[in-house]
Amino acid sequence: MNSVQGLLAASVISIQNSCFIYPACQNCFSRLILDSRRFNCLKCGCTGEAKDAGYRYRLSLKIADTNDLFDITVFGSCLDPFFGVTAENLQRYIQDFNQLSGETNTESSTRALVQAVETCFIGKRFIFGV
């Protein structure tokens, strides 16, 4: 959905999930099913090697304007400036960090990323295209 129907000035109240990056089909942007070697898109049937899977941002937020609360999800490259890198590069950095640190449990890197995203977004006012 690329057409903006209207603009909404609102403040971020909370982050709704801790998964900000997802493996995405390059044809239809649906979430890919990954195994150790291959990926598969259940929506359009696209397949390929897991190492070639692309990633996109998906940030689910609870926001409030002066009158109402809203649950919204922000997708894609419009989030690149906030994260400082593309979703693919951030995913690569996280994987490299986990490998270099010997982390088998990725909970600590996920927790650090969630804290950084909360600091960046919660309490801040943005204009959302809806």
Side-chain angles (χ1 to χ4, degrees):
M1 180 179 155
N2 289 331
S3 63
V4 174
Q5 301 289 323
L7 299 175
L8 173 65
S11 297
V12 176
I13 303 301
S14 67
I15 308 296
Q16 297 298 95
N17 63 20
S18 62
C19 183
F20 311 124
I21 305 168
Y22 71 99
C25 177
Q26 297 304 303
N27 295 332
C28 68
F29 301 126
S30 293
R31 181 179 294 273
L32 295 173
I33 304 299
L34 289 175
D35 65 31
S36 61
R37 295 184 187 192
R38 308 278 305 159
F39 70 77
N40 180 38
C41 177
L42 297 178
K43 185 173 182 182
C44 74
C46 184
T47 61
E49 293 187 36
K51 67 178 180 60
D52 297 329
Y55 287 82
R56 291 187 83 210
Y57 286 116
R58 178 185 179 274
L59 187 59
S60 295
L61 306 169
K62 183 171 288 293
I63 63 171
D65 68 0
T66 56
N67 299 318
D68 295 305
L69 288 173
F70 303 93
D71 291 323
I72 66 161
T73 303
V74 182
F75 286 96
S77 61
C78 66
L79 291 166
D80 289 359
F82 295 99
F83 285 91
V85 294
T86 64
E88 287 190 32
N89 285 338
L90 183 57
Q91 177 66 23
R92 191 173 310 122
Y93 296 154
I94 292 168
Q95 287 173 337
D96 290 349
F97 170 79
N98 289 336
Q99 283 180 337
L100 291 172
S101 67
E103 284 285 326
T104 54
N105 180 356
T106 60
E107 190 175 309
S108 63
S109 59
T110 300
R111 190 174 25 233
L113 182 58
V114 169
Q115 288 175 341
V117 170
E118 288 175 344
T119 299
C120 180
F121 287 95
I122 293 178
K124 308 291 190 314
R125 191 164 178 82
F126 297 93
I127 298 174
F128 298 93
V130 293

